[in-house]
Amino acid sequence: MRHKGLGFIIVALMLGMLLAALDQTIVSTALPTIVSDLGGLEQLSWVVTGYMLASTVSTPLWGKLGDQYGRKGLFLGAIIIFLIGSALCGLSQNMMQLILFRSLQGLGGGGLMVLAQAIVGDVVPARERGRYQGFFGAVFAVSSIVGPLLGGLFVDHLSWHWVFYINLPIGAVALFVIAAVLPGHATKTKHKIDYAGVVLIGGATSCLVLIATWGGTTYEWLSPEISGLAAAALALLIAAYFAEKRAAEPIMPLKLFKLRAYTMSSLVGFVVGFGMFGALTYLPLYLQTVHGVSATLSGVHLLPMMLGMLTMSIISGQIISRTGKYRYFPIAGTFIATIGMLMLSGLTETSSTLAMSVDLLVLGIGLGLTMQVLVIVVQNAVDFDDLGVATSGATFFRSIGGSFGVAVLGSVFTTSLNADISALIATTKLPPGVNPADVQKDPTLIQKLPAPLAQEFLHVYADAIAHVFLVGTPILFVAFLLSWFIPEHRLRETTKAVDLGEGMGATSAERSSLAEVERGLVRLADADLRKDYYVRLAWLTGLDGLPPQSVWVIARLGGEGWVKAADLAERANVTRREGRPYVDRLTERGLVTRSPDGDSLRLTETGDQAAERLLEQARAGLESLVADWGPSPQLRQLCERIAPELLGADADRPA
């Protein structure tokens, strides 16, 4: 059944997801301005990392709690947490405050993304769900492209604070609509939530990212601080190992790592996330500091990379769906991405815009060929029981890779910048009043220096950022080597319907295995129902000779009793006069009878039998799509539940 106000609900859900997805990328072009205002260049990476870590680690909790206690209240809570975090980010007075509030914002953002997708399954009829899933995939794609642009526009025309304040009115609309329109009742599923796994894995990851951030920069590698973090990370990982072995529903089942496809795909995904978010974080700094472009233009310059990712994600997905072959996409993608990263390492203060755009396009093409395919590889390699947690694990590693990428490359940048500035000071006489530490903290001061000295500092910054990409090149090359070990198996039918949003590198998914299959199944069914479906059903059920419109009427009336002709015409989006010839064909064959006043219709006994045959064929068609998962009572029940929802839907009425 369609929920009242469905359109409002979908818009509100998309707004919530848009906010959470945008905040992964919108700050990238604002970071140079934020650093010049708040200082703390060495902490720049944590503005991105804090958000990503919090959203990624909290995702399993949001998903399981939503299943267990209902999603409406939790979704409202996630919006409120996100809005509080956004307001506090805008009010931040120093970098440490901003990092802490970004983490709070990320906590809410993880809930927005995972719960919005789950609520769609609660409120949208199965026949229309594939279309709406496509809308949400488009939200991820749009946010990836427009995020850096919006961040630049706010910085140039308002202030960096509005990168966060803009969330408040949009989030308030989503909050009001969801509270007013979304029904509170929904099917609830009991879970044994792996709290220990979430805390231990999240803690270990945070320690490792801190080591990558502080090691060799803020603290010496052998300092008590770094050694303590390393010991804590090791202890937490050991505890997580034993916790996951005992957990009834572990967030990271250890048995999955016995599968070569899962292990290799997770490692490659980790490195791909590393490269994507590392590039997004430091390119705007290069553009705004070295080339002096505005924040808005720095977002424009990132478009080749984002468009390359989006285009190749779509193309690779379509080719894989048609051919069933996927192994060579990550091999080619990681190789091309490595070349793109190597090209970026050659950037200097004199590099042209065209050369940089080509470099970014190559990197984007490589990432686009790889990211979506890794989800397909994992889904195709595991058994049905592990499908849900394996999918979330694959996207989890990519998100964590992004966190590490920003942290590690940030450490590389800081170390290189410190070394270059020290070398510059040793060989260059600075004018009175010029403090190198101030220039390092606030890159915008370079523009106020005498021209020859400014050129020297621009060279230092360009060299430090180029060094970031030089270090990233062999790391991506490791992903290329690992991708050769990804095996290829026969592609399962439901695996072909991959969500573009997950392919674009958003937060990790958190769905049950049954929900994963259902997502693919309804999208396949959605495509199948557009291709002479009722003509084929008529032939399979002995109703050949009837036009598809008449077969649709039988499906629509099945199990309904008396139905008003006006209601049926409205459902079919035609007038009674336009629909009458198709009903007349059915009455002539004794399949439908009219009430004495002619205002209502119902199936005859023969018509009921025909409707049952239609339903059985629809169910059999769905079962054939999930047969490659092996026998499963859950999948059979899924097909039995969805088949009646698909037949006679207004969305597939023959023209």
Side-chain angles (χ1 to χ4, degrees):
M1 293 292 291
R2 230 175 211 277
H3 286 278
K4 292 182 179 179
L6 179 61
F8 289 110
I9 294 172
I10 293 298
V11 170
L13 293 175
M14 290 177 68
L15 285 176
M17 184 177 286
L18 178 65
L19 291 176
L22 270 177
D23 270 74
Q24 288 187 333
T25 57
I26 195 171
V27 299
S28 60
T29 46
L31 283 174
T33 305
I34 292 173
V35 167
S36 69
D37 190 10
L38 301 182
L41 181 64
E42 69 282 356
Q43 297 172 304
L44 174 146
S45 63
W46 270 94
V47 179
V48 178
T49 301
Y51 182 90
M52 292 183 62
L53 265 181
S55 63
T56 302
V57 173
S58 66
T59 293
L61 273 181
W62 285 114
K64 293 287 176 63
L65 290 172
D67 288 345
Q68 189 156 312
Y69 298 110
R71 299 186 180 99
K72 178 176 180 178
L74 281 171
F75 191 70
L76 293 174
I79 295 176
I80 292 170
I81 292 172
F82 184 83
L83 294 183
I84 292 173
S86 297
L88 292 173
C89 284
L91 295 170
S92 298
Q93 299 299 305
N94 56 59
M95 193 64 86
M96 184 55 67
Q97 287 182 7
L98 180 59
I99 291 168
L100 290 174
F101 297 145
R102 277 284 285 171
S103 300
L104 178 63
Q105 193 188 31
L107 181 64
L112 289 180
M113 284 195 270
V114 70
L115 291 172
Q117 296 177 80
I119 290 171
V120 171
D122 293 337
V123 298
V124 177
R127 174 62 184 88
E128 301 176 39
R129 212 170 295 157
R131 178 161 54 99
Y132 285 110
Q133 288 173 9
F135 291 163
F136 282 87
V139 167
F140 283 117
V142 169
S143 66
S144 299
I145 292 173
V146 306
L149 283 174
L150 283 178
L153 285 169
F154 288 135
V155 168
D156 287 340
H157 299 287
L158 294 169
S159 74
W160 67 262
H161 304 275
W162 278 94
V163 169
F164 305 107
Y165 289 154
I166 190 61
N167 295 331
L168 302 181
I170 298 174
V173 171
L175 185 68
F176 174 78
V177 172
I178 293 298
V181 183
L182 182 66
H185 59 83
T187 303
K188 297 179 182 179
T189 306
K190 281 278 188 181
H191 287 292
K192 293 183 178 178
I193 300 175
D194 184 16
Y195 292 107
V198 172
V199 172
L200 293 170
I201 292 175
T205 303
S206 299
C207 288
L208 291 171
V209 173
L210 282 171
I211 292 171
T213 307
W214 289 342
T217 54
T218 306
Y219 302 105
E220 295 293 329
W221 281 109
L222 298 179
S223 66
E225 291 83 1
I226 298 299
S227 300
L229 283 171
L234 180 61
L236 288 168
L237 285 173
I238 293 172
Y241 172 81
F242 289 105
E244 295 306 274
K245 284 188 71 174
R246 292 197 304 268
E249 297 181 35
I251 64 167
M252 194 71 65
L254 300 177
K255 64 179 180 179
L256 291 178
F257 292 98
K258 296 178 181 178
L259 297 174
R260 191 176 76 185
Y262 180 82
T263 303
M264 292 298 108
S265 297
S266 296
L267 290 172
V268 172
F270 179 93
V271 179
V272 166
F274 190 109
M276 173 186 171
F277 286 100
L280 276 176
T281 301
Y282 291 98
L283 278 168
L285 185 65
Y286 165 78
L287 289 162
Q288 294 178 42
T289 301
V290 178
H291 285 275
V293 305
S294 67
T296 303
L297 271 179
S298 70
V300 173
H301 286 310
L302 289 175
L303 282 177
M305 173 182 168
M306 308 312 295
L307 290 174
M309 284 172 52
L310 176 61
T311 302
M312 296 316 298
S313 290
I314 294 171
I315 291 174
S316 62
Q318 290 178 342
I319 294 175
I320 291 169
S321 293
R322 291 173 184 170
T323 65
K325 305 295 183 183
Y326 56 80
R327 181 170 180 258
Y328 290 104
F329 284 97
I331 294 173
T334 50
F335 179 75
I336 294 171
T338 302
I339 297 298
M341 192 70 84
L342 181 62
M343 293 166 69
L344 285 169
S345 71
L347 291 176
T348 68
E349 64 273 22
T350 60
S351 297
S352 68
T353 300
L354 177 61
M356 184 180 59
S357 296
V358 172
D359 297 349
L360 287 171
L361 179 62
V362 172
L363 178 63
I365 288 172
L367 295 175
L369 283 170
T370 307
M371 289 196 299
Q372 181 170 243
V373 182
L374 296 176
V375 179
I376 293 175
V377 172
V378 167
Q379 291 186 334
N380 207 50
V382 299
D383 295 330
F384 168 70
D385 291 340
D386 298 320
L387 176 61
V389 72
T391 304
S392 64
T395 50
F396 173 87
F397 276 105
R398 186 178 57 217
S399 298
I400 293 298
S403 300
F404 270 89
V406 175
V408 171
L409 295 180
S411 180
V412 169
F413 170 73
T414 302
T415 302
S416 179
L417 185 64
N418 289 340
D420 286 351
I421 287 180
S422 297
L424 177 63
I425 295 171
T427 58
T428 305
K429 185 176 181 180
L430 301 180
V434 175
N435 186 345
D438 292 338
V439 177
Q440 185 173 351
K441 291 178 181 177
D442 183 2
T444 59
L445 293 177
I446 295 175
Q447 309 301 329
K448 302 175 183 178
L449 297 175
L453 184 60
Q455 195 62 31
E456 292 284 349
F457 271 98
L458 290 179
H459 176 74
V460 164
Y461 265 88
D463 182 68
I465 293 171
H467 198 64
V468 165
F469 298 115
L470 186 63
V471 171
T473 299
I475 294 174
L476 275 178
F477 186 72
V478 170
F480 167 68
L481 297 178
L482 292 172
S483 65
W484 284 94
F485 294 95
I486 296 176
E488 184 168 66
H489 304 288
R490 181 178 175 274
L491 192 63
R492 292 186 173 110
E493 291 297 319
T494 55
T495 305
K496 295 177 181 178
V498 175
D499 191 313
L500 179 61
E502 290 173 8
M504 289 298 291
T507 193
S508 56
E510 181 59 38
R511 290 182 290 271
S512 67
S513 296
L514 192 64
E516 284 290 349
V517 173
E518 184 173 349
R519 282 169 65 84
L521 188 59
V522 296
R523 294 183 74 171
L524 290 174
D526 179 54
D528 193 46
L529 285 165
R530 299 191 194 116
K531 302 173 184 175
D532 298 324
Y533 184 66
Y534 289 91
V535 173
R536 285 179 280 134
L537 274 184
W539 181 77
L540 290 168
T541 57
L543 296 173
D544 43 315
L546 285 176
Q549 293 87 345
S550 296
V551 180
W552 182 88
V553 170
I554 295 174
R556 179 67 262 149
L557 294 177
E560 292 290 333
W562 287 105
V563 175
K564 288 188 174 296
D567 292 342
L568 181 64
E570 182 181 354
R571 182 65 181 261
N573 198 26
V574 297
T575 65
R576 288 184 63 181
R577 185 173 184 179
E578 290 171 328
R580 184 173 291 115
Y582 304 113
V583 176
D584 288 343
R585 295 287 296 271
L586 297 174
T587 58
E588 290 169 7
R589 289 185 58 163
L591 297 169
V592 168
T593 184
R594 285 190 169 93
S595 62
D597 59 9
D599 286 339
S600 298
L601 307 166
R602 70 173 296 170
L603 294 177
T604 63
E605 184 178 348
T606 306
D608 280 329
Q609 293 171 358
E612 279 294 324
R613 294 198 301 274
L614 289 174
L615 184 59
E616 182 56 38
Q617 284 297 331
R619 187 185 301 121
L622 294 175
E623 288 179 353
S624 69
L625 294 175
V626 299
D628 47 20
W629 287 107
S632 168
Q634 284 182 289
L635 293 178
R636 182 171 180 80
Q637 291 168 9
L638 172 66
C639 295
E640 290 174 351
R641 173 167 58 84
I642 290 180
E645 294 185 54
L646 299 179
L647 277 181
D650 54 350
D652 60 270
R653 175 186 59 82

